[in-house]
Amino acid sequence: MLGVPVRGLVVLGVLATAGLMYVANGGARLGAEESGTGPCRVTVIADILNVRSGPADTQPIVSTMRRDAVVPAERRVENGFRMLDEGRWVKDEFVLPTSDSDCS
């Protein structure tokens, strides 16, 4: 077959299949759903928590959250701030991952 060994075609087929699975899974690690890890969600433990537009105390406050609020969060922590959705940030020391979350 055009001088290509069968073993080479098998390797190419396996790599192509793996690549298609990666793309179909949105670039996420394959099998992540099966590991039992859930999305990252955090609970506010401060009375009132400032939500900022960036990961620093000098960034503007865009909103606030009350104690016991539970919100989706990212695993990303920068400069002591945890990223929430839509580019919002909170001081990480004032939130705790929920018991069913994987925020590591």
Side-chain angles (χ1 to χ4, degrees):
M1 257 178 95
L2 301 173
V4 178
V6 173
R7 187 180 337 177
L9 291 175
V10 170
V11 169
L12 285 174
V14 168
L15 291 174
T17 301
L20 288 172
M21 290 173 64
Y22 178 80
V23 169
N25 200 35
R29 186 171 50 106
L30 295 175
E33 309 80 34
E34 300 165 3
S35 67
T37 60
C40 179
R41 294 174 3 116
V42 294
T43 302
V44 176
I45 59 172
D47 289 332
I48 298 210
L49 181 60
N50 291 330
V51 181
R52 298 185 179 272
S53 64
D57 288 324
T58 57
Q59 294 295 315
I61 297 170
V62 295
S63 66
T64 58
M65 291 189 291
R66 293 188 178 275
R67 179 180 294 277
D68 297 327
V70 176
V71 295
E74 302 292 327
R75 290 168 179 84
R76 180 176 172 191
V77 176
E78 185 178 314
N79 195 29
F81 285 79
R82 181 170 297 273
M83 185 178 197
L84 304 179
D85 60 349
E86 300 173 5
R88 301 177 313 143
W89 297 81
V90 294
K91 198 78 157 166
D92 192 44
E93 66 187 271
F94 298 119
V95 293
L96 290 176
T98 60
S99 61
D100 62 344
S101 286
D102 178 25
C103 294
S104 54

